[in-house]
Each structure stands twice: as structure tokens, then as C-alpha cells.
């Protein structure tokens, strides 16, 4: 029996039971879960998911051009604020590593029609 594919987001859960379920259409329950699923979407080059979970006000008009040569190597959640089932907004500060560097960002999330979406982010380094 093949081993389940680990989730790129770093949680010790197989992809299908972790971010894969959000990529398949289940709404992420928290801003952090959405952040993790968006990181996994970058790893898996899932541009449609990234656009679908982007706030309508800030979503790019053009299709995303993801680099298939980009090698993401890890996600570290540094801090969260709000973003639970009891909030309408939240922030997630994270470091996403890739071969040759890292991105340090504080992302803002809001609920639109009850679902968490990525609003925007601020680079910290």
C-alpha cells in the first residue's frame, strides 16, 4: 500500500486530509488554514485555487504565472491574530522558504460570504 503524500504546508497530516480537501472545494475554517492551503497551492502550482481564494477587491485581473522551477522548501507560521470562526478578519505572519531564500510576510485575510479569502500582504524583511 503506497504511503500518503505528506502535505506541503508542514502539518503532520497527509495532503488529501489537510490542504488537499480545501483545494478540492471545502472552505478553510480559519485564516491560518487558508494561509497553509495557499502555500500548498503555490507548491503544487494550483493557480485556480489561489485566484479563487483571493479577495475580489485585490485579486489580480490577469492569470497567475507561477514558476514551475520554483522549489518551495518549507512554511513556518510565526504569529496569528484573529482569523478564527469568531472573527471577520485575521492576520498570519509567516516565513515561506524556497531554494535560495525566503519570504517573510504578514498576510491579511477577511471573510467574504462566510469564506476566508486572502486580502493582501506586507513584506517584513
Amino acid at each position: 500500500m503506497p504511503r500518503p503524500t505528506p502535505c506541503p504546508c508542514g502539518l503532520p497530516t497527509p495532503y488529501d486530509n489537510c490542504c488537499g480537501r480545501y483545494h478540492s472545494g471545502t472552505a478553510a475554517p480559519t485564516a491560518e488554514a487558508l494561509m497553509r492551503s495557499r502555500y500548498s497551492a503555490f507548491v503544487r502550482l494550483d493557480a485556480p485555487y489561489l485566484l479563487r481564494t483571493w479577495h475580489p477587491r485585490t485579486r489580480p485581473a490577469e492569470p497567475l504565472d507561477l514558476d514551475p522551477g520554483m522549489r518551495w522548501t518549507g512554511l513556518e507560521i510565526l504569529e496569528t491574530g484573529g482569523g478564527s470562526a469568531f472573527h471577520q478578519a485575521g492576520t498570519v505572519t509567516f516565513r515561506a522558504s524556497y531554494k535560495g531564500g525566503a519570504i517573510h510576510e504578514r498576510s491579511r485575510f477577511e471573510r467574504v460570504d462566510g469564506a476566508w479569502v486572502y486580502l493582501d500582504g506586507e513584506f517584513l524583511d
Side-chain angles (χ1 to χ4, degrees), residues 11 28 30-37 75 77 80 82-83 91-92 109:
L11 292 177
T30 65
E32 180 181 342
L34 182 64
M35 171 60 233
R36 288 180 176 281
S37 71
L75 175 66
I77 302 296
T80 62
T91 60
V92 178
F109 298 87

Side-chain angles (χ1 to χ4, degrees), residues 38-61:
R38 286 177 57 84
Y39 170 82
S40 293
F42 275 103
V43 171
R44 298 175 64 90
L45 303 174
D46 188 348
Y49 178 78
L50 292 167
L51 289 172
R52 192 167 64 248
T53 58
W54 211 308
H55 198 292
R57 268 196 338 260
T58 57
R59 181 185 304 134

Side-chain angles (χ1 to χ4, degrees), residues 16 19 21 23 26 41 76 78 86 106 110:
D16 288 342
C19 294
R21 63 188 163 153
H23 295 172
T26 301
E76 180 183 7
L78 303 171
F86 304 105
R106 180 178 302 112
E110 288 184 359

Side-chain angles (χ1 to χ4, degrees), residues 2-14:
R3 287 186 67 190
T5 304
C7 194
C9 81
L11 292 177
T13 308

